[in-house]
Amino acid sequence: MPIRRLPTLLVNQIAAGEVIERPASVVKELVENSLDAGARRIDIAVEDGGRQLIRISDDGAGIPAEELPLALAPHATSKLESPEQLEQIATLGFRGEALASIASISRLRITSRATVRGIVAEAGAVMEAGGDQVGAVQPVAAAPGSLVEVRDLFFNTPARRKFMRAAPTEFGHIAELVSRIAMVRPDVGFSLSHNDRLTLEVAPTESRRQRCVEVLGQELDEALLEFEDHHGDMLGSDVQTGYRLWGLAGRPEIARATAKFQYVCINGRPIRDRQISHAIREAYRGLVPPDQQPVAVVFIDMPFEAVDVNVHPAKAEVRFRDTGRVHGMVLASLRQRLLGADLTPKAGFPQGGLTLGSSGMAAAANHGGTGDTASAPAANLSAASFVDYFRRMDPTQKGFVYQQVKEALAQDDPTAATNDTASGVAASLPLTQPSGNVPPALQAQGVLQVHQSYLVTQDEAGILIIDQHALHERVMFEELRSRILGAGRLESQRMLMPAVLNLSPARLAMLEQLGPLLEKLGIEVEPMGPRSAGIHAFPTFLFDRRVEPVQFMEDLLDRTQEGDFDHVTAAAGNKSDGPQQAQAAQESALHEVLDMMACKAAVKAGDHMSAEELASLLKQRDEIERSSNCPHGRPTTIRLSLRELEKQFKRT
Ligand code: ADP
Ligand code: MG
């Protein structure tokens, strides 16, 4: 076949193939056009999931009658003039392709009445196009602004039409998209209706938080922690030279089974980004279980030239000039907010079971329309699961270890003998609080150990029920962590004979990578050949807990190899990613290792604890970070508020 120029229709349809995947893509392009036109109100109506009709009207600047044909022509835009402008795009659109693409695969009608330099055109104009048919511009009575109607999407592209899903699914995508856009633009009013049924209506507001809550569900309000941060120089308000972050961090108990409830937006553009998702997960590490995803809103405003938006046809992804910086900022801001908050979940009693954060879950599930409740079981403390807990308890494990662990850990602590509770690090070490020296406040407050598994105590707001194992695990974790990050090294015991670890070459290499970290933990491992290594020394406190070194090391390698660690190491090797990724990889490995140690050494359910030990554990609860959750992200504590009790006892 000789080389030929493609006919315009085909060019447009190829372009449409990249951008218009489904009805929601049409809605996205049209709403973006309305926003670029400065609209204050955008009304979206769809029929049959958008398959029959998508209708979007706005009160923006409109299109002058004589420009209407150009608006529908390919590669025609009012938003870009010179190549330099491509470097700093401030509008949502710039490719000049959307209307031409949509017209090539549907029946499109645009009605518009323009406002040019404050003067509203006398009349509106209307124009239709569809496939290779283009109509003439006609005068028409119209309100200022634009109305775009798209009928019979994919009427001439059967392959695409076949791929459209049932109307509710397609509408689901549209609703999701409109929600995301509405969250980012609180200054604009939106309405969305499906088959004449109104599903979303929000009025303009100055409060970003209010808009987000309106969209996500009022029930989630209490569970969202707001944060705001800026990095770099902020020169004036018109020139954006630094980075501004704003967001909402969902409390751990509203975490979900999927990342669908993470909203990321750069310079007013909702996007998805692997690095930012990673930073979000990283910030919640140890606060939500690994199989759950936090709810989070992260909006970043940055200089236009710091982000390239011209990398994805549908503009759903962007490329940052400094990915590492963005990752680091998101991680730092979120983490700071979470560490500064009391994350103890509130317990309520809806029909029978004792559950956590139930209203928030319901809201999120309703919003998603999928009714997914996968995150509920982890937080569910029904009577049945209490019973289950006791069944699973190891009856042979009665020997008490709390004190023993404390002592073993403190033996090599240089600060223990002299330093009281002065520094934060020292404060989290158990032996800085000599046993028996219980603060009077705590003695008065009292604590009860229930079924040798739970501690019951009180604070100003109500009753606290604490899982002794989970809390001790967190305490040990933070303690080990501050020791490792400081100059210290854990006391270890030399083995009479090295224990032999059989390994694949890949694991041996990984072991070497972990070498410096292991050394600090008091684990000495030396390669003994191409496929084995010898364990020469092992931490004393793990010995005391009868933890088997070979088994421990195998578990440890399994866990550092799995999941995140690999992914992050790969990212760290990628040149375009910064040192933040390498650091995240180390953090991730450290977390796994400490987590295992803490879990093995911590008091178990069924271990009796003396009054001093209870008091000392509770004291540490107040002193350490992230005490609300164990290192796996499960709660350590639940709170029954006085209000809830009054309600249950019908005292109000
Ligand atoms: P782009 O948005 O990339 O410029 P489009 O094909 O989406 O390309 O739109 C082409 C042009 O039509 C825009 O540049 C704009 O001038 C005009 N336009 C489209 N929709 C609207 C609208 N709702 N209000 C005002 N002008 C619009
Ligand atoms: Mg556009």
Side-chain angles (χ1 to χ4, degrees):
M1 226 173 18
I3 301 179
R4 268 185 298 233
R5 274 196 186 279
L6 290 171
T8 310
L9 176 66
L10 215 48
V11 171
N12 290 342
Q13 288 189 339
I14 291 170
E18 283 194 310
V19 183
I20 309 299
E21 198 191 337
R22 58 184 351 141
S25 332
V26 174
V27 176
K28 175 175 191 289
E29 293 296 334
L30 298 183
V31 171
E32 287 186 353
N33 280 346
S34 297
L35 289 171
D36 281 344
R40 293 282 131 206
R41 164 137 202 127
I42 301 175
D43 295 300
I44 305 148
V46 304
E47 277 172 28
D48 189 26
R51 295 146 33 120
Q52 304 246 345
L53 175 68
I54 296 167
R55 188 173 200 275
I56 296 187
S57 65
D58 68 53
D59 58 357
I63 307 170
E66 64 278 11
E67 288 184 22
L68 264 184
L70 257 187
L72 288 178
H75 311 299
T77 178
S78 57
K79 301 170 193 176
L80 209 54
E81 270 176 344
S82 67
E84 296 81 66
Q85 287 177 334
L86 198 52
E87 302 288 303
Q88 28 185 302
I89 290 168
T91 49
L92 294 167
F94 56 89
R95 297 164 57 101
E97 274 182 348
L99 290 182
S101 301
I102 295 167
S104 74
I105 51 167
S106 72
R107 300 184 214 280
L108 176 89
R109 177 160 70 189
I110 304 189
T111 312
S112 198
R113 185 164 163 206
T115 307
V116 181
R117 282 184 285 278
I119 299 166
V120 184
E122 266 175 31
V126 59
M127 180 178 167
E128 290 186 19
D132 51 3
Q133 309 284 307
V134 181
V137 178
Q138 308 274 348
V140 70
S146 306
L147 166 66
V148 183
E149 291 156 291
V150 175
R151 291 191 163 78
D152 301 335
L153 184 63
F154 301 133
F155 78 96
N156 54 355
T157 50
R160 270 290 151 99
R161 194 171 59 229
K162 266 216 315 265
F163 273 104
M164 272 197 291
R165 299 298 184 78
T169 308
E170 293 300 346
F171 181 72
H173 285 281
I174 293 174
E176 174 73 21
L177 174 102
V178 174
S179 304
R180 281 181 187 263
I181 296 179
M183 280 170 71
V184 195
R185 291 297 301 268
D187 56 323
V188 177
F190 289 88
S191 78
L192 171 65
S193 63
H194 187 207
N195 300 334
D196 291 328
R197 211 171 59 90
L198 189 65
T199 65
L200 174 88
E201 176 147 47
V202 284
T205 166
E206 276 173 15
S207 159
R208 298 212 223 197
R209 184 190 175 97
Q210 186 188 329
R211 171 59 65 86
C212 287
V213 169
E214 274 172 346
V215 172
L216 291 173
Q218 204 67 43
E219 304 84 345
L220 285 185
D221 196 10
E222 273 185 33
L224 298 170
L225 307 164
E226 189 167 346
F227 64 92
E228 193 157 14
D229 234 337
H230 57 81
H231 301 257
D233 317 327
M234 307 298 301
L235 294 175
S237 53
D238 48 339
V239 195
Q240 173 90 36
T241 54
Y243 290 69
R244 266 180 222 276
L245 259 85
W246 179 88
L248 298 169
R251 289 175 164 277
E253 71 263 25
I254 61 165
R256 312 281 306 171
T258 75
K260 221 174 102 186
F261 297 89
Q262 290 170 7
Y263 300 84
V264 176
C265 160
I266 307 296
N267 291 344
R269 191 187 294 279
I271 57 147
R272 45 169 200 263
D273 183 82
R274 205 173 60 92
Q275 293 297 336
I276 295 182
S277 305
H278 181 265
I280 294 174
R281 244 183 310 135
E282 201 60 23
Y284 278 84
R285 176 184 284 289
L287 291 175
V288 303
D291 58 346
Q292 287 186 27
Q293 294 280 355
V295 173
V297 175
V298 176
F299 293 171
I300 311 176
D301 289 321
M302 60 176 77
F304 292 124
E305 61 273 13
V307 51
D308 189 354
V309 295
N310 186 23
V311 294
H312 188 274
K315 297 162 289 188
E317 287 171 21
V318 298
R319 190 180 294 136
F320 299 112
R321 199 173 56 188
D322 190 347
T323 307
R325 184 158 183 213
V326 174
H327 182 278
M329 279 181 331
V330 173
L331 178 57
S333 297
L334 267 173
R335 190 177 269 173
Q336 196 187 4
R337 184 64 184 93
L338 290 167
L339 289 182
D342 174 3
L343 297 178
T344 304
K346 276 200 210 80
F349 302 87
Q351 344 85 14
L354 176 59
T355 59
L356 299 176
S358 56
S359 59
M361 305 272 203
N366 284 344
H367 173 69
T370 53
D372 112 32
T373 49
S375 55
N380 231 321
L381 292 177
S382 65
S385 65
F386 270 97
V387 173
D388 221 36
Y389 198 152
F390 292 116
R391 285 225 183 90
R392 272 186 281 121
M393 257 169 38
D394 179 358
T396 60
Q397 191 159 45
K398 290 291 179 206
F400 180 60
V401 291
Y402 181 78
Q403 200 58 35
Q404 187 190 342
V405 167
K406 269 174 63 174
E407 277 160 19
L409 259 180
Q411 269 161 14
D412 59 329
D413 178 14
T415 59
T418 51
N419 199 332
D420 223 19
T421 51
S423 79
V425 172
S428 74
L429 296 172
L431 268 220
T432 57
Q433 182 64 54
S435 60
N437 181 3
V438 181
L442 262 171
Q443 269 171 348
Q445 182 179 301
V447 52
L448 177 67
Q449 190 189 22
V450 182
H451 291 274
Q452 305 200 336
S453 297
Y454 298 100
L455 315 182
V456 179
T457 184
Q458 62 177 319
D459 68 359
E460 328 73 65
I463 298 177
L464 299 177
I465 305 172
I466 295 165
D467 177 334
Q468 68 185 40
H469 172 68
L471 178 59
H472 192 213
E473 212 179 330
R474 170 58 81 185
V475 165
M476 298 267 319
F477 180 92
E478 292 299 330
E479 198 178 300
L480 288 167
R481 194 179 132 90
S482 50
R483 187 78 67 83
I484 296 312
L485 297 182
R489 187 178 178 285
L490 297 189
E491 194 206 49
S492 62
Q493 206 153 308
R494 292 207 71 78
M495 318 269 282
L496 290 175
M497 292 275 286
V500 180
L501 201 56
N502 293 314
L503 297 163
S504 69
R507 288 199 148 200
L508 205 56
M510 195 157 90
L511 198 61
E512 254 162 51
Q513 233 182 344
L514 292 173
L517 171 62
L518 294 179
E519 204 186 303
K520 285 199 126 194
L521 293 167
I523 302 176
E524 264 175 54
V525 198
E526 299 279 342
M528 296 206 324
R531 302 192 68 96
S532 61
I535 306 171
H536 294 269
F538 201 60
T540 309
F541 80 102
L542 290 181
F543 257 129
D544 290 348
R545 283 297 263 152
R546 297 200 186 81
V547 175
E548 217 281 302
V550 171
Q551 186 63 46
F552 179 87
M553 288 308 296
E554 277 171 358
D555 288 354
L556 192 150
L557 289 170
D558 282 349
R559 288 184 50 176
T560 43
Q561 193 172 32
E562 258 171 27
D564 230 24
F565 184 61
D566 255 10
H567 159 77
V568 180
T569 324
N574 180 338
K575 269 219 285 316
S576 72
D577 297 334
Q580 269 88 353
Q581 275 73 25
Q583 201 189 331
Q586 283 158 17
E587 278 248 345
S588 168
L590 178 65
H591 186 99
E592 291 295 341
V593 175
L594 297 184
D595 188 10
M596 270 191 66
M597 290 185 141
C599 181
K600 299 236 149 114
V603 160
K604 302 278 183 298
D607 287 339
H608 174 76
M609 297 179 78
S610 73
E612 293 98 66
E613 289 157 351
L614 291 175
S616 146
L617 184 60
L618 286 185
K619 179 169 186 298
Q620 288 177 50
R621 177 178 176 274
D622 293 335
E623 289 166 350
I624 61 168
E625 287 179 333
R626 294 176 269 241
S627 66
S628 60
N629 297 74
C630 80
H632 314 287
R634 289 189 294 271
T636 61
T637 309
I638 57 177
R639 179 185 281 125
L640 288 176
S641 68
L642 291 175
R643 243 178 59 206
E644 183 63 36
L645 286 171
E646 277 167 8
K647 217 166 82 194
Q648 291 300 318
F649 287 112
K650 316 238 181 282
R651 291 165 62 104
T652 50

